[in-house]
């Protein structure tokens, strides 16, 4: 199932009307908390608790790959207290949720930099990936310390390191050097929290993704709204530069 989906990349992943790959910029945790007079970290805490439900809903709808943007390469510039808090919350969530994901046949893949994360988090991510590696259900890419520019530079470095001949550097080869090499490009990118920007997310892979943004803060995104978003996607006409998508 994964092989089939992964081979239908380069923008032709529309599987009937259900997106094969949904990527989400989970934004708005801080404002969700502030609106309630709570510390921003409380928003992050509630935010990670929402992940399981969203994965379940998308999986039930037939989505095969989910990528969640949890922490960007730029998020290190936040106040020390918030960064430390997010790292701790993420570590605890991973400890609690990995087993449940495994029981549901979910394959967990970390995308992003590893070396700047604490040892415990590095180990937990490695464990989650090892444990779920052979699962055949949905693939969950967790973007943590992820940046699209960093990913592209890292790919270039690896290509140079491998001494790939200039004439072999194609789009097909390049995508194999990205963190997302075993997922097709996202069909749909959802941003919660109301901002209209990409914030360094999946810069290469989003070339022909459909965008959807909602003012709803991430902790408030429920199954009904998600289903409406999928419905909207099913009515989009994707042309990939052509006049008629059927050509
Ligand atoms: C998204 O929520 C989570 C991270 C970036 C870690 P924010 O923390 O950005 O929430 P807002 O945008 O400030 O409300
Ligand atoms: C994007 O949200 C990153 C994540 C959701 C992890 P940000 O809150 O960091 O984005 P900006 O700063 O508003 O662009
Ligand atoms: Mg934000």
């Amino acid at each position: 199932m994964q092989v089939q989906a992964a081979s239908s990349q380069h923008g032709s992943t529309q599987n009937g009307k259900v997106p094969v790959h949904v990527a989400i910029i989970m934004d708005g945790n801080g404002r969700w908390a502030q609106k309630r007079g709570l510390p921003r970290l409380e928003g992050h805490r509630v935010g990670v608790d929402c992940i399981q439900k969203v994965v379940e809903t998308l999986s039930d709808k037939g989505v095969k790959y989910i990528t969640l943007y949890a922490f960007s390469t730029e998020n290190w510039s936040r106040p020390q207290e918030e960064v430390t808090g997010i790292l701790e919350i993420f570590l605890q969530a991973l400890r609690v949720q990995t087993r449940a994901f495994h029981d549901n046949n979910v394959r967990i893949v970390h995308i992003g930099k590893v070396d700047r994360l604490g040892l415990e988090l590095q180990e937990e991510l490695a464990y989650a990936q090892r444990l779920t590696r052979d699962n055949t259900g949905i693939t969950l890419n967790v973007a943590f310390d992820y940046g699209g520019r960093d990913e592209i530079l890292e790919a270039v470095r690896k290509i140079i390191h491998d001494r790939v001949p200039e004439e072999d550097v194609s789009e097909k080869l390049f995508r194999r050097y990205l963190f997302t090499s075993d997922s097709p490009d996202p069909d749909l990118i959802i941003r919660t929290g109301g901002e209209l920007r990409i914030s360094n997310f999946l810069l290469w892979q989003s070339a022909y993704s459909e965008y959807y943004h909602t003012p709803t803060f991430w902790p408030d995104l429920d199954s009904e709204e998600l289903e409406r978003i999928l419905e909207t996607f099913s009515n989009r006409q994707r042309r990939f530069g052509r006049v008629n998508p059927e050509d």
Side-chain angles (χ1 to χ4, degrees):
M1 182 168 55
Q2 282 160 9
V3 174
Q4 199 186 356
S7 65
S8 60
Q9 48 196 249
H10 300 306
S12 56
T13 48
Q14 212 170 350
N15 176 15
K17 292 291 188 180
V18 179
V20 173
H21 183 173
V22 174
I24 308 182
I25 301 174
M26 307 187 292
D27 197 18
N29 290 345
R31 282 166 287 163
W32 180 92
Q34 281 164 335
K35 207 176 85 181
R36 287 164 175 75
L38 299 168
R40 286 176 58 86
L41 281 179
E42 198 48 36
H44 296 305
R45 216 164 273 127
V46 177
V48 293
D49 286 346
C50 300
I51 290 175
Q52 239 159 328
K53 187 83 190 44
V54 167
V55 172
E56 243 176 71
T57 304
L58 291 175
S59 179
D60 287 350
K61 289 282 162 193
V63 172
K64 305 284 186 233
Y65 297 82
I66 302 174
T67 300
L68 299 178
Y69 201 8
F71 192 82
S72 75
T73 48
E74 288 72 35
N75 287 149
W76 294 104
S77 322
R78 294 190 176 196
Q80 185 61 41
E81 194 192 329
E82 177 160 343
V83 171
T84 313
I86 292 173
L87 291 169
E88 186 54 34
I89 289 165
F90 186 69
L91 174 64
Q92 296 308 334
L94 206 57
R95 285 192 171 138
V96 174
Q97 295 183 22
T98 293
R99 177 49 61 181
F101 280 132
H102 183 50
D103 291 344
N104 286 314
N105 203 19
V106 174
R107 184 168 67 114
I108 299 173
V109 177
H110 169 241
I111 63 168
K113 296 172 83 67
V114 181
D115 53 315
R116 301 194 290 194
L117 306 175
L119 206 58
E120 274 182 306
L121 187 47
Q122 289 185 25
E123 282 172 2
E124 204 57 38
L125 281 169
Y127 170 72
Q129 293 182 97
R130 214 168 41 240
L131 180 73
T132 64
R133 190 172 41 200
D134 297 324
N135 288 348
T136 54
I138 204 159
T139 293
L140 177 61
N141 294 314
V142 181
F144 201 93
D145 199 7
Y146 172 89
R149 287 183 172 176
D150 171 72
E151 178 183 39
I152 289 169
L153 286 182
E154 199 47 45
V156 171
R157 281 186 209 108
K158 284 185 225 149
I159 288 169
I160 293 170
H161 177 267
D162 288 353
R163 298 175 188 275
V164 176
E166 189 183 329
E167 60 276 16
D168 289 354
V169 181
S170 60
E171 291 187 11
K172 198 170 162 203
L173 176 129
F174 196 82
R175 74 177 312 284
R176 289 210 304 267
Y177 280 88
L178 296 171
F179 296 135
T180 54
S181 57
D182 55 2
S183 296
D185 289 343
D187 300 287
L188 172 65
I189 297 182
I190 301 168
R191 182 169 189 145
T192 59
E195 311 295 355
L196 301 177
R197 53 179 171 260
I198 194 70
S199 301
N200 205 9
F201 189 45
L202 302 178
L203 298 182
W204 172 278
Q205 300 88 333
S206 64
Y208 272 99
S209 303
E210 295 295 317
Y211 279 104
Y212 189 97
H213 74 96
T214 168
T216 304
F217 296 138
W218 167 251
D220 285 332
L221 184 72
D222 59 18
S223 300
E224 276 113 80
E225 183 166 11
L226 256 182
E227 284 172 23
R228 280 203 304 278
I229 294 170
L230 294 185
E231 184 60 32
T232 303
F233 171 84
S234 75
N235 291 319
R236 299 263 182 101
Q237 192 196 47
R238 303 177 75 190
R239 288 191 286 278
F240 305 105
R242 302 178 184 122
V243 174
N244 184 338
E246 308 307 325
D247 289 346

